[in-house]
Amino acid sequence: MVRRTVAWVVAVVLIVEALGIGALNWFLGVVVERQKMSMAGLDPHLMSTSSKIGGVVFGLYFALCALVALLVAVRDRAPAGFGRVVLISAAVVQGLLGAFAWGLIDVTAFLAMVVVLALLVLLLVSYDRDGGPVEAAPGGGGGTGGGPRVPDEPVDASAAPPGEPVAERPAEPRDGDEGPRDAVAGRLTRLAPTTP
């Protein structure tokens, strides 16, 4: 239940972040264009357009991450394949944004990024990975228990074509194949006490 709640929270936070980053970059682009700002002689229109494109690209990226988290929450299954890679990349981006926030903005923005990073990591590690397919039990089908195992029936060697090996038939021993055997198999000798 906690895993699903974390997935829902991550989806909502990433949607808010996608809208926030997209709107912020778009607003900065509009401000640069209206004020005719320039940095190191760059064209203000070029700076405005690149800021708007960056806002759209980052907004779509975080919206994709939110969609993956939403699918994890709805299906209640671990992210796999492309979705897992997307969430890992989102965690890396959150870490980088947190580092920039620490240096450029303040501690509050840094803590907000760290909280989002912690939620992403919690989402990634809270779902147990599948252990692979269930191995079949010897006596039944698919590991469901089943009844006792029936010994293999003898195979009619005359039905096989000459020269072909017969399946399920134990190999006949050849000279020297047999190992040493005890003369009295399955018989135990009781030990006598050595002290009176």
Side-chain angles (χ1 to χ4, degrees), residues 64-65 67-69 71-73 75-88 123-125 127-130:
L64 174 66
C65 297
L67 177 65
V68 172
L71 290 175
V72 169
R75 295 176 180 170
D76 197 21
R77 285 196 321 226
F82 179 70
R84 190 167 182 82
V85 170
V86 166
L87 289 179
I88 290 172
L123 173 65
L124 286 167
V125 301
Y127 280 90
D128 296 329
R129 303 295 293 164
D130 293 334

Side-chain angles (χ1 to χ4, degrees), residues 4-32:
R4 222 167 170 182
T5 305
V6 169
W8 281 108
V9 170
V10 167
V12 170
V13 167
L14 288 177
I15 282 288
V16 170
E17 194 168 7
L19 294 175
I21 285 183
L24 177 65
N25 280 345
W26 193 272
F27 173 74
L28 290 175
V30 169
V31 169
V32 166

